[in-house]
Amino acid sequence: QAQLVESGGGLVQAGGSLRLSCAASGRTFSPYRMGWFRQGPGKEREFVAAITWSTARTYYADSVKGRFTISRDNAKTTVYLQMNSLSPEDTATYYCAATTTTLSLNPNDYNYWGQGTQVTVSS
């Protein structure tokens, strides 16, 4: 089975940057879309960014638009999230997800999930 593994999280000061990676392992994997979701303390899990695999079209939550950039590497079946101008409001566990069944931004429609990587932004 395909598995997703996130990396790149850590502790950073406000205004700093981090780059998250999500690599698919196991069987050959051909998703319709891969993306990132996050869940902060006491908050619901929310959509952050996604990329359609075949076209590389990108989608962003309003809260991160202009600061975060999602990209992909076809050869490695890997998706990246470059996060700039980080603020304490970005503190959360970030989850990589993929769907092979639908072009959706709803987390309920994603059938592959990583275990998450923690991002903490200090003020």
Side-chain angles (χ1 to χ4, degrees), residues 54-69:
S54 62
T55 65
R57 183 174 179 179
T58 57
Y59 305 84
Y60 297 96
D62 289 341
S63 60
V64 306
K65 192 173 298 182
R67 299 188 297 122
F68 292 9
T69 302

Side-chain angles (χ1 to χ4, degrees), residues 35-52:
W36 294 90
F37 299 80
R38 68 185 182 186
Q39 187 167 13
K43 297 182 178 180
E44 299 289 327
R45 183 171 297 188
E46 65 177 357
F47 166 76
V48 177
I51 185 166
T52 301

Side-chain angles (χ1 to χ4, degrees), residues 7-88:
S7 63
L11 176 64
V12 65
Q13 294 184 359
S17 299
L18 286 173
R19 190 191 190 210
L20 305 183
S21 298
C22 174
S25 62
R27 300 180 64 182
T28 301
F29 189 60
S30 299
Y32 290 162
R33 182 173 292 165
M34 295 185 68
W36 294 90
F37 299 80
R38 68 185 182 186
Q39 187 167 13
K43 297 182 178 180
E44 299 289 327
R45 183 171 297 188
E46 65 177 357
F47 166 76
V48 177
I51 185 166
T52 301
W53 208 254
S54 62
T55 65
R57 183 174 179 179
T58 57
Y59 305 84
Y60 297 96
D62 289 341
S63 60
V64 306
K65 192 173 298 182
R67 299 188 297 122
F68 292 9
T69 302
I70 189 170
S71 61
R72 59 156 168 79
D73 185 329
N74 279 334
K76 298 180 179 180
T77 316
T78 300
V79 65
Y80 305 94
L81 185 67
Q82 179 66 45
M83 306 186 294
N84 299 327
S85 301
L86 287 164
S87 70

